[in-house]
Amino acid sequence: MLTPALDEQASISEEIEDMREQMVSLGKRLGLMHPEVQHCSRQLDQLVLRYYEAHKADRR
């Protein structure tokens, strides 16, 4: 059984992978400097920060 923090990490990890794939796809189609790609990048950054926060909470 996963602890709530580990369960949250697993969920966020899936979100990170989905967002990364979306960003790569958009980047190939629109170019890396396109506003949609930049927006995806910022969302990905937020997900990574949430992941690290969940990891830090699990270590306490």
Side-chain angles (χ1 to χ4, degrees):
M1 179 93 181
L2 293 176
T3 66
L6 286 177
D7 192 34
E8 182 180 7
Q9 278 182 274
S11 174
I12 295 169
S13 184
E14 289 179 26
E15 289 182 63
I16 287 171
E17 185 58 28
D18 291 343
M19 184 60 64
R20 187 193 66 76
E21 288 175 6
Q22 180 181 351
M23 185 180 72
V24 168
S25 176
L26 283 171
K28 286 179 180 178
R29 199 178 62 204
L30 302 173
L32 297 178
M33 298 308 293
H34 192 277
E36 283 186 55
V37 178
Q38 297 297 309
H39 180 71
C40 262
S41 178
R42 287 189 297 275
Q43 287 181 312
L44 183 57
D45 289 345
Q46 291 301 313
L47 287 170
V48 170
L49 290 173
R50 280 182 47 211
Y51 179 87
Y52 284 124
E53 287 297 318
H55 178 73
K56 191 165 63 173
D58 184 53
R59 295 183 64 142
R60 291 181 185 157

Coordinates of all heavy atoms in Angstrom, one line a residue:
M1 N 0.8 -1.2 0.0 CA 0.0 0.0 0.0 C 0.9 1.3 0.0 O 1.8 1.4 0.8 CB -0.9 0.0 1.3 CG -1.8 1.1 1.4 SD -3.4 0.7 0.6 CE -4.2 2.2 0.9
L2 N 0.6 2.2 -0.9 CA 1.4 3.4 -1.0 C 0.9 4.4 0.1 O -0.3 4.5 0.4 CB 1.2 4.0 -2.4 CG 1.8 3.3 -3.6 CD1 1.4 4.0 -4.8 CD2 3.3 3.1 -3.4
T3 N 1.9 5.1 0.6 CA 1.5 6.2 1.5 C 0.9 7.3 0.7 O 1.1 7.4 -0.6 CB 2.7 6.8 2.2 OG1 3.6 7.4 1.3 CG2 3.5 5.7 3.0
P4 N 0.1 8.2 1.3 CA -0.5 9.3 0.5 C 0.5 10.1 -0.3 O 0.3 10.5 -1.5 CB -1.2 10.2 1.5 CG -1.5 9.2 2.7 CD -0.4 8.2 2.7
A5 N 1.7 10.4 0.3 CA 2.7 11.2 -0.4 C 3.2 10.4 -1.6 O 3.4 11.0 -2.7 CB 3.8 11.6 0.5
L6 N 3.5 9.1 -1.5 CA 4.0 8.3 -2.6 C 2.9 8.2 -3.7 O 3.2 8.2 -4.9 CB 4.4 6.9 -2.1 CG 5.7 6.9 -1.4 CD1 6.0 5.4 -0.9 CD2 6.9 7.4 -2.2
D7 N 1.6 8.0 -3.3 CA 0.5 8.0 -4.2 C 0.5 9.3 -5.0 O 0.3 9.3 -6.2 CB -0.8 7.7 -3.5 CG -1.9 7.3 -4.4 OD1 -1.6 6.6 -5.4 OD2 -3.0 7.6 -4.1
E8 N 0.6 10.4 -4.3 CA 0.6 11.7 -5.0 C 1.8 11.8 -5.9 O 1.6 12.3 -7.0 CB 0.6 12.8 -3.9 CG 0.6 14.2 -4.6 CD 0.6 15.3 -3.6 OE1 0.8 15.1 -2.4 OE2 0.4 16.5 -4.0
Q9 N 3.0 11.4 -5.5 CA 4.1 11.4 -6.4 C 3.9 10.6 -7.6 O 4.2 11.0 -8.7 CB 5.3 10.8 -5.6 CG 6.0 11.8 -4.7 CD 7.2 11.1 -4.1 OE1 7.1 10.5 -3.1 NE2 8.4 11.3 -4.7
A10 N 3.3 9.4 -7.5 CA 3.0 8.6 -8.7 C 2.1 9.3 -9.6 O 2.3 9.3 -10.9 CB 2.5 7.2 -8.3
S11 N 1.0 9.9 -9.1 CA 0.1 10.6 -9.9 C 0.7 11.8 -10.6 O 0.5 12.0 -11.8 CB -1.1 11.1 -9.0 OG -2.0 11.9 -9.7
I12 N 1.5 12.6 -9.9 CA 2.2 13.7 -10.4 C 3.2 13.3 -11.5 O 3.3 13.9 -12.6 CB 2.9 14.6 -9.4 CG1 1.8 15.2 -8.4 CG2 3.7 15.7 -10.0 CD1 2.4 15.8 -7.2
S13 N 3.9 12.2 -11.2 CA 4.8 11.6 -12.2 C 4.1 11.3 -13.5 O 4.7 11.6 -14.6 CB 5.5 10.4 -11.6 OG 6.5 9.9 -12.5
E14 N 3.0 10.8 -13.5 CA 2.2 10.5 -14.7 C 1.8 11.8 -15.4 O 1.9 11.9 -16.6 CB 0.9 9.7 -14.4 CG 1.2 8.3 -14.0 CD -0.1 7.5 -13.7 OE1 -1.1 7.9 -14.2 OE2 0.0 6.6 -12.9
E15 N 1.4 12.8 -14.6 CA 1.1 14.1 -15.2 C 2.3 14.7 -15.9 O 2.2 15.4 -16.9 CB 0.6 15.1 -14.1 CG -0.8 14.8 -13.6 CD -1.3 15.8 -12.6 OE1 -1.4 17.0 -13.0 OE2 -1.5 15.4 -11.4
I16 N 3.5 14.6 -15.2 CA 4.7 15.2 -15.8 C 5.0 14.5 -17.1 O 5.3 15.2 -18.1 CB 5.9 14.9 -14.8 CG1 5.7 15.9 -13.6 CG2 7.2 15.1 -15.5 CD1 6.7 15.6 -12.4
E17 N 4.9 13.2 -17.2 CA 5.2 12.5 -18.4 C 4.2 12.9 -19.5 O 4.7 13.2 -20.7 CB 5.2 11.0 -18.2 CG 5.6 10.2 -19.4 CD 7.0 10.5 -19.9 OE1 7.9 10.9 -19.1 OE2 7.2 10.4 -21.1
D18 N 3.0 13.0 -19.2 CA 2.0 13.5 -20.2 C 2.3 14.9 -20.7 O 2.2 15.2 -21.9 CB 0.5 13.4 -19.6 CG 0.0 12.0 -19.4 OD1 0.6 11.1 -19.9 OD2 -1.0 11.9 -18.6
M19 N 2.6 15.8 -19.8 CA 2.9 17.2 -20.1 C 4.2 17.2 -20.9 O 4.2 18.0 -21.9 CB 3.0 18.0 -18.9 CG 3.2 19.5 -19.1 SD 1.8 20.3 -20.1 CE 0.5 20.1 -18.9
R20 N 5.2 16.4 -20.6 CA 6.4 16.4 -21.3 C 6.2 16.0 -22.8 O 6.6 16.6 -23.7 CB 7.4 15.5 -20.7 CG 8.8 15.5 -21.3 CD 9.7 14.4 -20.8 NE 9.2 13.1 -21.3 CZ 9.3 12.6 -22.5 NH1 9.9 13.3 -23.4 NH2 8.9 11.4 -22.8
E21 N 5.4 14.9 -22.9 CA 5.1 14.4 -24.3 C 4.3 15.5 -25.1 O 4.6 15.7 -26.3 CB 4.3 13.1 -24.2 CG 5.1 12.0 -23.7 CD 4.2 10.7 -23.5 OE1 3.0 10.7 -23.9 OE2 4.8 9.7 -23.1
Q22 N 3.4 16.2 -24.4 CA 2.6 17.2 -25.1 C 3.5 18.4 -25.5 O 3.4 18.9 -26.6 CB 1.5 17.8 -24.2 CG 0.7 18.8 -24.8 CD -0.4 19.4 -23.8 OE1 -0.6 18.8 -22.8 NE2 -1.1 20.4 -24.2
M23 N 4.4 18.8 -24.6 CA 5.3 19.9 -24.9 C 6.3 19.5 -26.1 O 6.5 20.3 -27.0 CB 6.2 20.2 -23.7 CG 7.1 21.4 -23.9 SD 8.0 21.8 -22.4 CE 9.2 20.5 -22.4
V24 N 6.8 18.3 -26.1 CA 7.7 17.8 -27.2 C 6.9 17.8 -28.5 O 7.4 18.3 -29.6 CB 8.3 16.4 -26.9 CG1 9.0 15.9 -28.1 CG2 9.3 16.5 -25.7
S25 N 5.7 17.3 -28.5 CA 4.9 17.3 -29.7 C 4.6 18.7 -30.2 O 4.8 19.0 -31.4 CB 3.6 16.6 -29.4 OG 2.7 16.6 -30.5
L26 N 4.2 19.6 -29.3 CA 3.9 21.0 -29.7 C 5.2 21.6 -30.2 O 5.2 22.4 -31.2 CB 3.4 21.8 -28.6 CG 1.9 21.6 -28.2 CD1 1.6 22.3 -26.9 CD2 1.0 22.0 -29.3
G27 N 6.3 21.4 -29.6 CA 7.6 22.0 -30.0 C 8.0 21.6 -31.4 O 8.5 22.4 -32.1
K28 N 7.8 20.3 -31.7 CA 8.1 19.8 -33.0 C 7.2 20.4 -34.1 O 7.7 20.8 -35.2 CB 8.0 18.3 -33.1 CG 9.1 17.6 -32.4 CD 8.9 16.1 -32.5 CE 10.0 15.3 -31.8 NZ 9.8 13.9 -31.8
R29 N 6.0 20.6 -33.7 CA 5.0 21.2 -34.7 C 5.1 22.7 -34.8 O 4.9 23.2 -35.9 CB 3.6 20.7 -34.3 CG 2.6 20.8 -35.4 CD 1.3 20.3 -35.0 NE 0.8 21.2 -33.9 CZ -0.1 20.9 -33.0 NH1 -0.6 19.7 -32.9 NH2 -0.4 21.7 -32.0
L30 N 5.2 23.4 -33.7 CA 5.1 24.8 -33.7 C 6.4 25.6 -33.5 O 6.5 26.8 -33.7 CB 4.1 25.3 -32.5 CG 2.7 24.7 -32.6 CD1 2.0 25.1 -31.3 CD2 2.0 25.2 -33.8
G31 N 7.4 24.9 -33.0 CA 8.7 25.5 -32.7 C 8.8 25.8 -31.2 O 7.8 26.1 -30.6
L32 N 10.0 25.8 -30.7 CA 10.2 25.9 -29.3 C 9.8 27.2 -28.7 O 9.5 27.3 -27.5 CB 11.6 25.5 -28.9 CG 12.0 24.1 -29.2 CD1 13.5 23.9 -28.9 CD2 11.2 23.1 -28.5
M33 N 9.8 28.2 -29.4 CA 9.5 29.6 -28.9 C 8.1 30.0 -29.0 O 7.7 31.0 -28.6 CB 10.4 30.6 -29.6 CG 11.9 30.4 -29.4 SD 12.4 30.3 -27.7 CE 12.0 31.9 -27.1
H34 N 7.2 29.1 -29.5 CA 5.8 29.4 -29.7 C 5.2 29.5 -28.3 O 5.5 28.8 -27.4 CB 5.1 28.2 -30.4 CG 3.7 28.6 -30.9 ND1 2.7 28.4 -30.0 CD2 3.2 29.0 -32.0 CE1 1.6 28.8 -30.6 NE2 1.9 29.2 -31.9
P35 N 4.3 30.5 -28.1 CA 3.6 30.7 -26.8 C 3.0 29.4 -26.2 O 3.1 29.2 -25.0 CB 2.6 31.8 -27.1 CG 3.1 32.5 -28.3 CD 3.8 31.5 -29.1
E36 N 2.4 28.6 -27.0 CA 1.8 27.4 -26.4 C 2.8 26.4 -25.9 O 2.6 25.8 -24.8 CB 1.0 26.6 -27.5 CG -0.3 27.2 -27.8 CD -1.1 26.4 -28.8 OE1 -1.3 25.2 -28.5 OE2 -1.5 26.9 -29.8
V37 N 4.0 26.3 -26.5 CA 5.1 25.5 -26.0 C 5.6 26.1 -24.7 O 5.9 25.4 -23.8 CB 6.2 25.3 -27.1 CG1 7.3 24.5 -26.6 CG2 5.6 24.7 -28.4
Q38 N 5.8 27.4 -24.7 CA 6.3 28.1 -23.5 C 5.3 27.9 -22.3 O 5.7 27.7 -21.2 CB 6.5 29.6 -23.8 CG 7.5 29.9 -24.8 CD 8.9 29.4 -24.4 OE1 9.4 29.7 -23.3 NE2 9.6 28.7 -25.3
H39 N 4.0 27.9 -22.6 CA 3.0 27.7 -21.6 C 3.1 26.3 -21.0 O 3.1 26.1 -19.8 CB 1.6 28.0 -22.2 CG 0.5 27.8 -21.2 ND1 0.3 28.6 -20.1 CD2 -0.4 26.8 -21.1 CE1 -0.7 28.2 -19.4 NE2 -1.2 27.0 -20.0
C40 N 3.3 25.3 -21.9 CA 3.5 23.9 -21.5 C 4.7 23.8 -20.6 O 4.7 23.1 -19.6 CB 3.6 23.0 -22.7 SG 2.1 22.2 -23.2
S41 N 5.7 24.4 -21.0 CA 7.0 24.4 -20.2 C 6.8 24.9 -18.8 O 7.3 24.3 -17.9 CB 8.1 25.2 -21.0 OG 9.3 25.2 -20.2
R42 N 6.1 26.0 -18.7 CA 5.8 26.6 -17.4 C 4.9 25.6 -16.5 O 5.1 25.4 -15.3 CB 5.1 27.9 -17.5 CG 6.1 29.0 -17.9 CD 5.5 30.4 -17.8 NE 4.4 30.6 -18.7 CZ 4.5 31.0 -20.0 NH1 5.7 31.2 -20.5 NH2 3.4 31.1 -20.7
Q43 N 3.9 25.0 -17.2 CA 3.1 24.0 -16.5 C 3.9 22.8 -16.0 O 3.7 22.3 -14.9 CB 2.0 23.5 -17.4 CG 0.9 24.6 -17.6 CD -0.2 24.0 -18.5 OE1 0.0 23.4 -19.5 NE2 -1.5 24.2 -18.1
L44 N 4.8 22.4 -16.9 CA 5.7 21.3 -16.5 C 6.6 21.6 -15.3 O 6.8 20.8 -14.4 CB 6.6 20.9 -17.7 CG 7.5 19.7 -17.6 CD1 6.7 18.4 -17.2 CD2 8.3 19.5 -18.9
D45 N 7.1 22.9 -15.3 CA 7.9 23.3 -14.2 C 7.1 23.3 -12.9 O 7.6 22.8 -11.9 CB 8.4 24.8 -14.4 CG 9.4 24.9 -15.5 OD1 10.0 23.9 -15.8 OD2 9.6 26.1 -15.9
Q46 N 5.8 23.7 -12.9 CA 5.0 23.6 -11.7 C 4.7 22.2 -11.3 O 4.7 21.9 -10.1 CB 3.6 24.3 -12.0 CG 3.8 25.8 -12.2 CD 4.4 26.5 -11.0 OE1 4.0 26.3 -9.9 NE2 5.4 27.3 -11.2
L47 N 4.5 21.3 -12.2 CA 4.4 19.9 -11.9 C 5.6 19.3 -11.2 O 5.5 18.6 -10.2 CB 4.0 19.1 -13.1 CG 2.6 19.2 -13.6 CD1 2.5 18.5 -15.0 CD2 1.6 18.7 -12.7
V48 N 6.8 19.7 -11.7 CA 8.0 19.2 -11.1 C 8.2 19.7 -9.7 O 8.6 19.0 -8.8 CB 9.2 19.5 -12.0 CG1 10.5 19.3 -11.3 CG2 9.2 18.8 -13.4
L49 N 7.8 21.0 -9.5 CA 7.9 21.5 -8.2 C 7.0 20.8 -7.2 O 7.3 20.5 -6.1 CB 7.6 23.0 -8.2 CG 8.7 23.9 -8.8 CD1 8.2 25.3 -8.9 CD2 10.0 23.8 -8.1
R50 N 5.7 20.5 -7.7 CA 4.8 19.7 -6.9 C 5.3 18.4 -6.5 O 5.2 17.9 -5.4 CB 3.4 19.6 -7.6 CG 2.6 20.8 -7.5 CD 1.2 20.6 -8.2 NE 0.6 19.4 -7.9 CZ -0.2 18.7 -8.7 NH1 -0.5 19.2 -9.9 NH2 -0.8 17.6 -8.4
Y51 N 6.0 17.7 -7.5 CA 6.6 16.4 -7.3 C 7.6 16.5 -6.2 O 7.6 15.7 -5.3 CB 7.2 15.9 -8.6 CG 7.8 14.6 -8.4 CD1 7.1 13.4 -8.6 CD2 9.2 14.4 -8.1 CE1 7.7 12.1 -8.4 CE2 9.8 13.2 -8.0 CZ 9.0 12.1 -8.1 OH 9.6 10.8 -8.0
Y52 N 8.5 17.5 -6.3 CA 9.5 17.6 -5.3 C 9.0 17.9 -3.9 O 9.5 17.4 -2.9 CB 10.6 18.6 -5.7 CG 11.5 18.1 -6.7 CD1 11.7 18.7 -7.9 CD2 12.2 16.9 -6.5 CE1 12.6 18.2 -8.9 CE2 13.1 16.4 -7.5 CZ 13.2 17.1 -8.7 OH 14.1 16.5 -9.6
E53 N 7.9 18.7 -3.8 CA 7.3 19.0 -2.6 C 6.7 17.7 -2.0 O 6.8 17.5 -0.8 CB 6.2 20.1 -2.7 CG 6.8 21.5 -2.9 CD 7.5 22.0 -1.7 OE1 7.1 21.7 -0.6 OE2 8.6 22.6 -1.9
A54 N 6.0 16.9 -2.8 CA 5.5 15.7 -2.3 C 6.6 14.7 -1.8 O 6.5 14.0 -0.8 CB 4.7 15.0 -3.4
H55 N 7.7 14.7 -2.5 CA 8.8 13.9 -2.1 C 9.4 14.4 -0.8 O 9.7 13.5 0.1 CB 9.9 13.9 -3.2 CG 11.2 13.2 -2.9 ND1 11.2 11.8 -2.9 CD2 12.4 13.6 -2.5 CE1 12.4 11.4 -2.6 NE2 13.1 12.4 -2.3
K56 N 9.5 15.7 -0.7 CA 10.0 16.2 0.6 C 9.1 15.9 1.7 O 9.5 15.5 2.8 CB 10.2 17.7 0.4 CG 11.0 18.4 1.6 CD 11.4 19.8 1.2 CE 10.3 20.8 1.0 NZ 10.7 22.1 0.9
A57 N 7.8 15.9 1.5 CA 6.8 15.6 2.6 C 6.9 14.2 2.9 O 6.7 13.8 4.1 CB 5.4 16.0 2.1
D58 N 7.2 13.3 2.0 CA 7.3 11.9 2.3 C 8.5 11.5 3.1 O 8.5 10.6 3.9 CB 7.3 11.1 1.0 CG 7.3 9.6 1.2 OD1 6.4 9.1 1.9 OD2 8.2 8.9 0.7
R59 N 9.5 12.3 3.0 CA 10.8 12.0 3.7 C 10.7 12.5 5.2 O 11.6 12.2 6.0 CB 11.9 12.7 3.0 CG 12.2 12.1 1.6 CD 13.3 12.7 1.0 NE 14.5 12.3 1.8 CZ 15.7 12.0 1.3 NH1 15.9 12.1 0.0 NH2 16.7 11.7 2.1
R60 N 9.7 13.2 5.5 CA 9.5 13.7 6.9 C 9.0 12.6 7.8 O 8.4 11.7 7.6 CB 8.6 14.9 7.0 CG 9.2 16.1 6.3 CD 8.3 17.3 6.4 NE 8.9 18.4 5.6 CZ 8.2 19.3 5.1 NH1 6.9 19.4 5.3 NH2 8.8 20.3 4.4

